[in-house]
Amino acid sequence: MVLTLRRTAVAAAGTFVAVAAVALTGCASSAGGAEQSSGPVVVANWGGLASEAYQAAYVEPFTADTGIEVQQVDAPGLFVARTEAQASANRTEWDVLESITDSDVEFLAAQDLLDPIPSDVKARLVDELGAENVTDYGYHSGTTAMLIVCNTDRVKVCPQSMAEFWDTQPRSTMSGAVRGRAVK
């Protein structure tokens, strides 16, 4: 497996087999002086039960088929902070960011902390997943949703929309407060 000295992370989300292919191909085709890496492909993900499931369903079969070792690193909610820290220290440790949000990808890409996937890998992903699910840095493998859950035993009126749920406007009819001081 060929990796560049920089070993910047390739952002990808979802099914590990495709992620590993993206990481390996992506790192191998980066410009600059490449060197042979003796270490595993390091995948940062959310950890916990998800890591256990990925290990059994994807990592072990992938390693058995390819001989390429994969190491998962738990980094729940820390993709941006740790990627920035690794870049600041000039010591990138992760090869793949798995299950990273679109906004985090955009943020890290704007800081030039992510390498785009190679065009040939992107083309294969587009063929398999559809253009709407593939970006310059990886692919979408699922979606999330925000749900309003309301215990009617505890509140009289439940919010009916996200705007009502997240409404931060004060509902008090009191007036006369200016910058935290009472006005006489």
Side-chain angles (χ1 to χ4, degrees):
M1 172 179 66
V2 178
L3 299 173
T4 63
L5 286 171
R6 191 168 144 199
R7 289 190 67 185
T8 51
V10 176
T15 310
F16 182 76
V17 174
V19 171
V22 169
L24 296 175
T25 308
C27 293
S29 66
S30 295
E35 66 177 22
Q36 192 73 13
S37 173
S38 59
V41 173
V42 180
V43 178
N45 61 27
W46 281 90
L49 294 175
S51 289
E52 292 175 24
Y54 287 138
Q55 185 70 30
Y58 302 114
V59 173
E60 291 170 4
F62 176 81
T63 298
D65 288 348
T66 65
I68 299 168
E69 184 182 350
V70 176
Q71 175 187 352
Q72 295 187 84
V73 176
D74 295 354
L78 300 172
F79 295 131
V80 170
R82 288 193 182 168
T83 300
E84 289 176 321
Q86 290 174 29
S88 292
N90 200 24
R91 188 168 180 238
T92 302
E93 298 172 3
W94 297 341
D95 300 304
V96 177
L97 303 177
E98 194 275 324
S99 295
I100 187 171
T101 65
D102 287 344
S103 59
D104 287 351
V105 169
E106 289 176 22
F107 180 81
L108 291 171
Q111 294 186 56
D112 196 31
L113 295 177
L114 298 177
D115 285 339
I117 57 177
S119 58
D120 61 323
V121 173
K122 184 176 178 179
R124 287 196 321 250
L125 289 172
V126 167
D127 287 344
E128 290 292 323
L129 305 173
E132 69 278 7
N133 294 312
V134 180
T135 73
D136 290 341
Y137 298 95
Y139 64 93
H140 305 283
S141 66
T143 58
T144 59
M146 294 185 117
L147 305 175
I148 298 173
V149 179
C150 184
N151 184 343
T152 55
D153 294 334
R154 301 203 65 175
V155 296
K156 292 179 183 174
V157 178
C158 293
Q160 299 300 305
S161 68
M162 285 297 169
E164 288 178 15
F165 184 81
W166 294 107
D167 188 2
T168 59
Q169 297 300 314
R171 295 291 173 212
S172 172
T173 57
M174 295 173 38
S175 60
V178 178
R179 295 184 193 192
R181 293 179 286 159
V183 177
K184 293 182 182 181

